């Protein structure tokens, strides 16, 4: 795998490449996005027809847009979809009309508190049309007649999502999920897509214990569709992580699963604390990203959410200011590093049984002390062996050992490997 700095630059380049595309919960923008991601990791793309029942929801009609603008009496486009996909209310029905500014205003969305920014707005399940623009642009428009044009289609089609699977030693799965429905928004959620993609590439260079399934799906309806189509095999999902807002300059934030004590919760809390990175751990709430679908009570999966600044926690959220300049290679590389560190712990976290539990076994005659010779952390490594032996009762995991002993997980895992090799413990 490329060094983190290089990976950060590559992820940022991917964000810049995806940024101009007009994504929504359905349509060609999603497909174009997945085509590009598919150049980095192989994807299995799924097309689910309009009208398909998915849990309590129904797959909606597909939305596509070719052009949209507001033009003044001279024909000048004062608002132009070609300049930014944010300029059109998502899922706008087609319109072709001429109307006075006074009538048009009811269909215009701005951010008066940030007059230079364009907001992101949608109307997925209610037939509407509208434009988003900077308040300063609106303030500069004179009264008069304006040509309004939205060249879009809302028709039966498909909802598109994709999966990438990194095979593991066991069929039990870890899911990594990111949403692909937001248009030109770099942190929310192109940075999440980029981190997920490069995490998949990193895992593919290893032989992981778990099978890792990466899900690229539209928010809410996409995750619900995936759950509906995989209900019979959902018991394979042992752990999961939703990635969003992964590239801003804020501290890392981990939102725990509904369970609160799921293994993924403990692992990420441990990794963040041990790394001494600035971070925050929050309790689960049934609002946010797709962790709320995976954690709905019927499924109750151990799925948390990792971000930097959480949704709606930064002024640029859902505005044109969430552009590629707002996210950095360094921040995305740091988010990726935490994911890799967490999954390295998750992949090695086992429960062991001490095969010589009556008294302390003699380590010296098994060559275990000799194996420590010359190490700068000899005392720490010796203590790790003693802790692993003492807590290998079939009820404590290596993470339990690391937390109780205060020793680094890597040191504990290495000690467990040495003890297993010497025939003193078994999984």
């Amino acid at each position: 795998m490329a060094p983190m700095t290089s990976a950060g630059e590559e992820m940022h380049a991917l964000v810049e490449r995806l940024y101009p595309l007009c994504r929504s919960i359905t349509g060609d923008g999603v497909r174009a996005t997945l085509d590009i991601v598919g150049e980095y990791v192989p994807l299995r793309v799924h097309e689910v027809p309009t009208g398909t029942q998915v849990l309590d929801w129904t797959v909606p009609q597909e939305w596509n847009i070719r052009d949209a603008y507001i033009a003044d009496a001279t024909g000048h486009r004062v608002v132009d979809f070609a300049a930014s996909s944010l300029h059109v209310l998502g899922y706008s029905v087609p319109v072709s009309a001429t109307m006075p500014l006074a009538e048009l205003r009811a269909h215009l969305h701005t951010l008066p508190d940030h007059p230079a920014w364009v907001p992101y707005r949608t109307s997925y399940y209610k037939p509407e049309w509208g434009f988003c623009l900077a308040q300063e642009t609106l303030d500069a428009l004179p009264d008069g007649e304006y040509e309004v044009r939205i060249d879009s289609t809302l028709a039966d089609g498909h909802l598109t999502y994709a999966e990438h699977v990194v095979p593991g030693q066991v069929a039990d799965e870890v899911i990594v999920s990111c949403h692909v429905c937001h248009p030109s928004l770099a942190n929310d959620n192109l940075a999440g897509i980029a981190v997920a993609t490069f995490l998949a590439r990193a895992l593919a260079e290893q032989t992981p214990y778990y099978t890792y399934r990466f899900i690229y799906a539209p928010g809410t309806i996409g995750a619900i569709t995936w759950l509906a189509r995989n209900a019979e095999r959902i018991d394979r999902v042992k752990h999961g992580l939703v990635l969003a807002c992964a590239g801003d300059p804020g501290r890392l934030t981990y939102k725990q699963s509904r369970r609160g004590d799921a293994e993924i919760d403990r692992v990420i809390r441990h990794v963040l604390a041990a790394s001494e990175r600035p971070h925050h751990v929050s309790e689960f709430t049934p609002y946010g990203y797709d962790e709320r679908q995976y954690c709905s009570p019927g499924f109750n999966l151990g799925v948390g959410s990792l971000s930097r600044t959480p949704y709606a926690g930064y002024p640029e959220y859902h505005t044109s200011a969430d552009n590629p300049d707002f996210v950095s290679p360094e921040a995305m590389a740091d988010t990726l590093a935490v994911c890799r560190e967490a999954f390295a712990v998750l992949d090695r976290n086992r429960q062991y049984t001490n095969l010589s539990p009556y008294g302390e076994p003699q380590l010296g005659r098994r060559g275990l002390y000799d194996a420590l010779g010359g190490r700068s952390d000899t005392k720490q490594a010796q203590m790790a062996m003693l802790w692993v032996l003492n807590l290998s009762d079939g009820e404590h995991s290596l993470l339990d050992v690391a937390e109780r002993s205060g020793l680094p997980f890597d040191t504990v895992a290495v000690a467990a490997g040495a003890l297993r090799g010497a025939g003193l413990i078994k999984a």
Side-chain angles (χ1 to χ4, degrees), residues 196-207:
T197 301
F198 278 73
L199 177 60
R201 291 177 64 178
L203 289 169
E205 295 177 358
Q206 306 165 14
T207 307

Side-chain angles (χ1 to χ4, degrees), residues 335-359:
T335 307
L336 174 62
V338 169
C339 292
R340 294 184 65 176
E341 291 166 23
F343 288 165
V345 172
L346 194 67
D347 243 31
R348 293 176 293 166
N349 191 33
R350 305 278 184 281
Q351 290 182 343
Y352 289 94
T353 301
N354 188 336
L355 299 178
S356 182
Y358 299 101

Side-chain angles (χ1 to χ4, degrees), residues 8 11 50 60-61 63 87 102 107 156 161 178 188 198 252 283 301 303 346 351 361 387 402:
M11 286 188 286
T50 296
Q61 289 189 310
W63 183 68
H87 276 310
H107 298 276
D156 287 354
Y161 72 92
C178 57
D188 180 23
F198 278 73
L252 283 155
E283 298 294 327
L301 297 175
V303 177
L346 194 67
Q351 290 182 343
W387 272 109

Side-chain angles (χ1 to χ4, degrees), residues 19-20 67-69 77-87 118 184:
Y19 183 75
D67 192 17
Y69 60 86
R77 295 189 176 193
V78 296
V79 178
D80 192 353
F81 170 76
S84 171
S85 60
L86 295 179
H87 276 310
V118 177
S184 297

Side-chain angles (χ1 to χ4, degrees), residues 135-207:
Q135 181 67 46
E136 60 187 23
T137 299
L138 177 58
D139 291 343
L141 295 182
D143 289 334
E145 296 288 310
Y146 288 86
E147 180 189 0
V148 180
R149 170 78 166 161
I150 297 178
D151 182 12
S152 64
T153 54
L154 194 58
D156 287 354
H158 297 82
L159 178 145
T160 309
Y161 72 92
E163 297 174 288
H164 171 75
V165 176
V166 179
Q169 300 170 39
V170 297
D172 289 346
E173 292 187 359
V174 179
I175 60 171
V176 180
S177 181
C178 57
H179 58 277
V180 295
C181 52
H182 284 20
S184 297
L185 299 172
N187 196 42
D188 180 23
N189 185 48
L190 295 179
I193 294 172
V195 170
T197 301
F198 278 73
L199 177 60
R201 291 177 64 178
L203 289 169
E205 295 177 358
Q206 306 165 14
T207 307

Side-chain angles (χ1 to χ4, degrees), residues 230-309:
N230 291 273
E232 77 288 347
R233 50 183 298 281
I234 212 72
D235 60 341
R236 292 188 192 177
V237 178
K238 304 304 179 184
H239 320 282
L241 190 63
V242 171
L243 288 172
C245 301
D248 68 81
R251 66 181 178 178
L252 283 155
T253 299
Y254 177 67
K255 176 183 174 182
Q256 299 185 118
S257 72
R258 178 178 181 268
R259 300 179 192 175
D261 61 349
E263 190 172 346
I264 189 70
D265 300 327
R266 295 184 58 211
V267 166
I268 294 189
R269 289 198 306 257
H270 175 79
V271 165
L272 289 173
S275 71
E276 299 184 345
R277 289 176 171 91
H279 70 276
H280 175 69
V281 176
S282 65
E283 298 294 327
F284 174 81
T285 63
Y287 187 75
Y289 291 112
D290 286 327
E291 68 279 355
R292 69 189 197 270
Q293 310 307 332
Y294 302 118
C295 292
S296 55
F299 295 108
N300 197 27
L301 297 175
V303 177
S305 176
L306 183 66
S307 62
R308 302 194 73 84
T309 308

